[in-house]
């Protein structure tokens, strides 16, 4: 079952909403466990493709509503496929009742800006720009509420990350995935950007 990595803390503990499509996946996780069926969960953080939403619109700077040192975790979709293939290659029985956390890149917004600048030096500046509260209010309370209600989950994710509630993945998860899919390698940000982004 492909599902979402959880946050470090339940959103409700911070007075926030759980992103609705995360919550539905976690409910299904609990139902699968309670059913007695054999299971393997492939847990992902944010897709790498959502980096497109942060691409420069003002002063050629990458912008998010979070602090510059906020840990971010991304996964390339092809790496999820590599993990599923590796599980069946090894024999699914070896991984039964495991939650496998798939992560391609762990980095901060500052590091993201620097590395994207290395790929697109003329289009993206190396300095990260944190979105202002005015921009955040416009996105959350005008754009999403009145024009793009299905995008509400992005506001919910942003609220968690803005308060430091990161996806519960770390460097050990990344090392484990690298070993699991060997001899294939994890997708790195630079290679992904060259293939998927036009600026």
């Amino acid at each position: 079952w492909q599902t979402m990595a959880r946050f470090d803390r339940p959103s409700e503990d911070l007075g926030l909403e759980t992103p609705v499509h995360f919550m539905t996946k976690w409910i299904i996780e609990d139902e699968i466990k309670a059913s007695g069926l054999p299971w393997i969960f492939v847990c992902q953080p944010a897709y790498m493709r959502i980096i497109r939403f942060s691409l420069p619109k003002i002063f050629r700077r990458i912008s998010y509503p979070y602090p510059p040192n906020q840990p971010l975790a991304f996964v390339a979709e092809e790496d999820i496929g590599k993990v599923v293939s590796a599980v069946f290659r090894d024999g699914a029985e070896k991984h039964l009742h495991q939650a496998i956390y798939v992560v391609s890149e762990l980095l901060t917004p500052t590091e993201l800006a620097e590395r994207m600048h290395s790929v697109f030096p003329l289009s993206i500046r190396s300095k990260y720009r944190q979105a202002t509260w005015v921009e955040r209010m416009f996105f959350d309370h005008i754009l999403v509420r009145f024009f793009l209600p299905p995008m509400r989950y992005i506001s919910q994710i942003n609220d968690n990350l803005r308060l430091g509630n990161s996806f519960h993945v770390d460097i050990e998860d990344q090392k484990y995935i690298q070993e699991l899919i060997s001899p294939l390698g994890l997708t790195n940000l630079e290679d992904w950007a060259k293939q998927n982004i036009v600026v």
Side-chain angles (χ1 to χ4, degrees):
W1 170 252
Q2 183 181 339
T3 184
M4 294 301 304
R6 304 200 180 217
F7 291 119
D8 289 331
R9 297 173 60 189
S11 301
E12 291 75 10
D13 288 359
L14 299 171
L16 301 174
E17 295 179 318
T18 299
V20 63
H21 76 304
F22 291 18
M23 180 174 57
T24 54
K25 287 179 177 289
W26 297 337
I27 289 171
I28 293 173
E29 282 182 36
D30 294 337
E31 291 178 348
I32 291 172
K33 289 179 179 179
S35 73
L37 292 170
W39 57 267
I40 301 169
F41 295 149
V42 177
C43 308
Q44 63 173 77
Y47 283 128
M48 204 173 280
R49 57 180 153 89
I50 74 163
I51 291 171
R52 291 191 182 100
F53 292 114
S54 68
L55 290 181
K57 298 176 181 62
I58 301 176
F59 306 124
R60 297 186 296 122
R61 287 192 179 184
I62 283 180
S63 179
Y64 283 118
Y66 345 121
N69 61 346
Q70 168 61 37
L72 303 176
F74 297 102
V75 63
E77 282 129 311
E78 56 265 35
D79 287 343
I80 296 173
K82 294 172 190 175
V83 166
V84 173
S85 297
V87 166
F88 284 104
R89 177 198 65 197
D90 294 347
E93 296 80 9
K94 180 179 177 181
H95 301 278
L96 277 182
H97 302 149
Q98 288 185 26
I100 302 172
Y101 290 81
V102 188
V103 57
S104 305
E105 287 280 8
L106 292 162
L107 66 173
T108 66
T110 299
E111 292 166 338
L112 173 63
E114 291 169 350
R115 291 177 61 182
M116 289 294 285
H117 171 74
S118 74
V119 181
F120 305 110
L122 299 181
S123 305
I124 298 177
R125 295 179 66 179
S126 61
K127 299 296 183 182
Y128 168 68
R129 187 185 75 88
Q130 185 172 350
T132 65
W133 71 270
V134 173
E135 292 170 319
R136 184 164 55 84
M137 291 299 104
F138 174 78
F139 180 80
D140 291 344
H141 297 288
I142 298 177
L143 191 60
V144 170
R145 178 174 294 180
F146 294 107
F147 299 102
L148 297 170
M151 303 296 284
R152 180 181 173 197
Y153 76 95
I154 294 179
S155 295
Q156 294 167 329
I157 295 169
N158 284 343
D159 285 342
N160 277 274
L161 294 176
R162 188 170 51 84
L163 294 184
N165 199 22
S166 305
F167 287 109
H168 192 64
V169 294
D170 58 29
I171 191 67
E172 294 305 317
D173 295 310
Q174 189 180 37
K175 289 178 181 177
Y176 175 76
I177 295 302
Q178 182 61 79
E179 293 173 2
L180 177 64
I181 67 174
S182 180
L184 300 176
L186 285 168
T187 303
N188 68 45
L189 177 67
E190 289 80 1
D191 290 342
W192 177 87
K194 290 173 186 176
Q195 295 175 15
N196 293 279
I197 290 181
V198 177
V199 295

